[in-house]
Amino acid sequence: MTAKTDGQRVAVLSDAETATGYRLAGAEVIEATQGTAVAALERAIQGGNYGLIAVDTGLIPDPVTATARVMRGRDLPILLPIPSLRDAFSTDTVDAKAYMGKLVRDTIGFDIKL
């Protein structure tokens, strides 16, 4: 299943570990490692088939800067950095719940308590 928007495809650039979850949600996935992520993203951009590529920040912390050369003169795809789930559960993260709460707060501007 491929998500589409006005003839342009939508994809997620992710590591193999989290790719399964995105695929189960129906997203098209471009799998990469930290070592291959920039090249994979550049190929996807140059292919011209994507309107939006969500990029796991665990692979490429700043996808816009990392692909500035290839994006020069292009309007699409839109590169959407998405927080890495790996960051929430890394040894550097003391409280995964607080980390996820901060992501929600930074995104929507207020806390949600369940």
Side-chain angles (χ1 to χ4, degrees):
M1 178 186 299
T2 302
K4 293 191 178 210
T5 174
D6 293 331
Q8 295 288 318
R9 295 176 2 206
V10 175
V12 178
L13 178 71
S14 175
D15 59 52
E17 186 177 350
T18 53
T20 301
Y22 288 116
R23 284 191 182 102
L24 288 171
E28 180 174 344
V29 176
I30 302 166
E31 276 189 43
T33 63
Q34 284 185 321
T36 63
V38 172
L41 182 55
E42 287 178 346
R43 280 192 304 276
I45 292 167
Q46 291 169 331
N49 298 320
Y50 297 102
L52 173 73
I53 303 175
V55 181
D56 184 320
T57 58
L59 294 176
I60 306 174
D62 185 358
V64 173
T65 301
T67 59
R69 181 186 53 80
V70 221
M71 284 296 293
R72 191 170 296 124
R74 297 176 187 263
D75 294 328
L76 294 175
I78 295 168
L79 302 178
L80 176 66
I82 54 173
S84 174
L85 288 177
R86 184 174 297 161
D87 290 344
F89 301 103
S90 76
T91 55
D92 296 335
T93 304
V94 177
D95 183 356
K97 186 176 178 182
Y99 175 83
M100 298 307 270
K102 181 183 178 323
L103 289 177
V104 170
R105 190 173 44 260
D106 290 350
T107 302
I108 64 174
F110 57 88
D111 286 325
I112 296 177
K113 304 272 186 197
L114 298 178

